[in-house]
Amino acid sequence: PKGKRIKILCEEKAFPSDQYMLQSQVKFHGFAPEEAIVEIKRREGELTTRQEDILAKIEELGDELALVFIGGVNYYTGQVFDMKTITEAGHNAGALVGWDLAHAAGNIELNLHDWQVDFAAWCSYKYMNSGPGNASGYFVHEKHYTNKDLKDILDVNIKPKINNILGALEQFDEAEFELIERYIELLKRK
């Protein structure tokens, strides 16, 4: 965030780990999630989000928009987002654009460099058929390699704590928590 550019746009029903990560990032910078995170909602009675609604929301947020961060394929609906068009719209608004590709990698064609995506991350245990201890991946567009503002952020000694699903255990019910505890115990054995 910089100046009044503090808003993050994500899709309604974003993957829970994405929600925790965005919330903790916003809090780290001293903002309230309900103030800084904007969810693009589906229209009443519709199962997916209309692209024109995403593009309109990007334009509406304009110079308040710092980041567009959406799942390339929404885990809840299976909707495939037009990453090229949304990335272009985000850039036209002056925002960075990142993608969670956990449900897209190995499932749809990706051209991150050509689409000018700023960054993306994914896992391989879903549509790439990996298992526990799998490899994950990330992409940072080469245009950021010489970005001094980004370099200064990455060179700081104190790294911000970004929560993931295991950093938000209080939000799980007892049965879910037991599964997570068993998974953690299995990891400790390795």
Side-chain angles (χ1 to χ4, degrees), residues 16-100:
S17 289
D18 292 351
Q19 292 175 359
Y20 305 144
M21 182 261 310
L22 293 175
Q23 289 167 10
S24 63
Q25 177 69 355
V26 164
K27 288 176 185 176
F28 174 78
H29 288 284
F31 300 104
E34 53 277 356
E35 171 192 1
I37 299 172
V38 178
E39 286 189 358
I40 183 70
K41 307 277 187 195
R42 295 172 292 193
R43 293 184 188 189
E44 189 171 330
E46 296 188 8
L47 300 176
T48 59
T49 306
R50 291 189 187 188
Q51 178 153 310
E52 63 259 30
D53 293 346
I54 296 169
L55 300 178
K57 184 57 79 174
I58 290 171
E59 188 173 335
E60 175 190 325
L61 293 172
D63 61 2
E64 293 181 274
L65 186 60
L67 174 65
V68 177
F69 188 79
I70 297 177
V73 174
N74 181 273
Y75 86 103
Y76 190 75
T77 65
Q79 179 177 2
V80 177
F81 290 99
D82 182 344
M83 289 181 257
K84 179 181 180 187
T85 301
I86 294 169
T87 298
E88 185 177 308
H91 289 160
N92 287 342
L96 292 173
V97 182
W99 294 92
D100 174 349

Side-chain angles (χ1 to χ4, degrees), residues 37-173:
I37 299 172
V38 178
E39 286 189 358
I40 183 70
K41 307 277 187 195
R42 295 172 292 193
R43 293 184 188 189
E44 189 171 330
E46 296 188 8
L47 300 176
T48 59
T49 306
R50 291 189 187 188
Q51 178 153 310
E52 63 259 30
D53 293 346
I54 296 169
L55 300 178
K57 184 57 79 174
I58 290 171
E59 188 173 335
E60 175 190 325
L61 293 172
D63 61 2
E64 293 181 274
L65 186 60
L67 174 65
V68 177
F69 188 79
I70 297 177
V73 174
N74 181 273
Y75 86 103
Y76 190 75
T77 65
Q79 179 177 2
V80 177
F81 290 99
D82 182 344
M83 289 181 257
K84 179 181 180 187
T85 301
I86 294 169
T87 298
E88 185 177 308
H91 289 160
N92 287 342
L96 292 173
V97 182
W99 294 92
D100 174 349
L101 301 178
H103 294 87
N107 199 12
I108 63 171
E109 185 175 347
L110 300 168
N111 293 298
L112 305 176
H113 183 270
D114 294 344
W115 297 338
Q116 299 295 308
V117 167
D118 293 297
F119 67 92
W122 59 91
C123 58
S124 62
Y125 69 88
K126 293 176 182 168
Y127 300 100
M128 295 168 76
N129 300 316
S130 183
N134 68 82
S136 297
Y138 67 92
F139 167 87
V140 177
H141 198 282
E142 68 182 354
K143 67 186 173 189
H144 295 296
Y145 293 177
T146 57
N147 181 336
K148 183 172 176 358
D149 291 334
L150 188 59
K151 183 181 180 317
D152 289 345
I153 291 167
L154 296 175
D155 281 348
V156 297
N157 291 325
I158 301 171
K159 300 288 187 218
K161 179 182 180 273
I162 304 300
N163 286 338
N164 61 22
I165 201 161
L166 296 177
L169 293 176
E170 71 278 358
Q171 299 188 30
F172 291 94
D173 67 30

